Structure formats: structure tokens, C-alpha cells
Amino acid sequence: MGAAATIGSSLAIPVSRSVSVVIADDHEMFRTMLRRLLEDAQMLVVGEAKNGKEAVEAVRRSLPDILLLDLCMPEHPGLEALRELRESEPEKPVNVILLTADIRKEDLVRALHAGARGVVMKQSTTSVLFSAIQSVMSGEYWVGLSPVKDLNQYLRILLGSSSAKASPDKFGLTRRELQITSAVVSALSNKEIAQRFTLSVDTVKNHLRNIYDKTGVSNRLELAMFAVHHNLELPPTD
């Protein structure tokens, strides 16, 4: 258990009776403790899982508002479960908050681009966890001890803007492709990008293929890093 047992060292702060939660952690005692804290805060625990595979199944079965997902599990770890949930793009996407004792900057960026809405350290108090749930339920992100209102700006600071300048022709990207690139930097899913620009998901995927070809990247994370590194001027939405 180690640092995992620290969550719960502060008084519970009620969040909302309507919030439904799935807990995924390979330590049964930690799941039991967390369930009690959430239920004391009038949240509804609708499922538990001891690995990422069970977590994905529980989410698809119960369609919770929140998935509290342990990053490091021995079987089907958190990042794998995140990618699987993101790729399925369900009608009701779940808000994933990662629980971890430690995380590298690279894994944090990967987690946010894989679909995590929050990252909470297991050393944190209950009030921090509940604040993270509140922020995520209100549409914000949460990292560590504070909310993140502008994920694009946060990632630029985290990754460190380079002095590299964009190509004069912006690598041949069209305005729409630049807008979609900006949305990827903000960690929006294909479905969310489609809704923002009134496009079909298939059209978004076609745009992404063209963007990958023009920039030489092979996935969304590489595209986000490429955009930050080259200081691409990303126009506002239409």
C-alpha cells in the first residue's frame, strides 16, 4: 500500500449525490477505504476493478461519471486502459482521474493525451481528491494540487516551448488542419473535435492522416509535441 494509504487523512468533503464512480486499483484494502470515503461524501460507487481490463469492462457496463484509475497495476496498467477507453469513444465518455504515487513528466503528457482528465497523487488528502472530482465534473482538468483551466497552455509550459520557429508555410497545413492540431494539443478526442467544428468523425480522421503525413509524426502525442516545439500559430475556432 505505501503512500496509497495517505488518501483519506483529511475530513471528507461532500461533492454531489449524483456523481457515480468506478474504482480501479489492485489493492483491495485501498479500494475498500476509497469506497467508504466516497460513499460518506454521498457519491455512488457503481463498480470496482483490480486491473485495467476489469476497469474498462466496468466502465462500459455501468457508464459512470468518474473512473478513479490506478496508473501502476501489474496487469493491463492504467495507460493501456485509458487508450482502450479513448479509442472506443462511447456515447457517454467517462472522466478519468489517475491515482499514482509518482509520475514522470513524459507519462503525465501521455496520460492527458490518452484521455485522463485529472492526475492525483496518492499522498494527497481527501480534500484534494474531492476538489479534483469537482473540477473534472465542471469541465476542467486537474493535475497534482490544482485545477487546470487551459490545458493547451499547461502543456506548453510542461513541455517547454522551444526557440524553434515554424516553417513559413506552417508545414503546408491548411487552416482547418491547424485548428485540428490545436484541438489535439488541447487533448480533445476525435468525437469532441468533430463536434467543435461540425464535422464527422471520419472527416476528422482523414484530416489527422493528412496532418501526420505533412508533419512526419505518427500519433497524437507526437503531433502535440511537434506543435509545441515548433511554436505553430494555431488560429481560433470558427
Side-chain angles (χ1 to χ4, degrees), residues 106-120:
E106 295 81 3
D107 287 334
L108 174 57
V109 174
R110 288 188 180 94
L112 293 171
H113 276 277
R117 299 287 301 188
V119 178
V120 173

Side-chain angles (χ1 to χ4, degrees), residues 57-68:
E57 292 171 352
V59 166
R60 289 173 175 168
R61 182 171 59 250
S62 57
L63 300 178
D65 298 307
I66 297 286
L67 169 62
L68 297 178

Side-chain angles (χ1 to χ4, degrees), residues 13-124:
I13 300 174
V15 178
S16 170
R17 183 180 298 275
S18 62
V19 176
S20 57
V21 183
V22 165
I23 303 168
D25 193 285
D26 59 315
H27 291 97
E28 184 177 0
M29 288 179 63
F30 182 66
R31 295 198 309 270
T32 299
M33 180 193 71
L34 197 50
R35 172 187 278 273
R36 290 172 180 167
L37 289 169
L38 295 171
E39 290 177 342
D40 285 346
Q42 300 182 342
M43 285 180 274
L44 180 63
V45 178
V46 295
E48 294 185 22
K50 63 179 180 293
N51 57 53
K53 184 176 184 296
E54 290 185 2
V56 172
E57 292 171 352
V59 166
R60 289 173 175 168
R61 182 171 59 250
S62 57
L63 300 178
D65 298 307
I66 297 286
L67 169 62
L68 297 178
L69 180 64
D70 185 14
L71 179 64
C72 298
M73 290 181 283
E75 180 184 346
H76 208 85
L79 283 178
E80 279 189 42
L82 265 174
R83 294 189 190 99
E84 192 170 340
L85 287 169
R86 184 64 172 265
E87 289 169 1
S88 65
E89 296 192 0
E91 287 299 314
K92 182 190 175 185
V94 63
N95 295 300
V96 180
I97 297 178
L98 289 178
L99 302 178
T100 180
D102 188 31
I103 187 169
R104 299 179 304 169
K105 179 173 71 173
E106 295 81 3
D107 287 334
L108 174 57
V109 174
R110 288 188 180 94
L112 293 171
H113 276 277
R117 299 287 301 188
V119 178
V120 173
M121 308 306 292
K122 286 187 173 181
Q123 304 94 306
S124 303

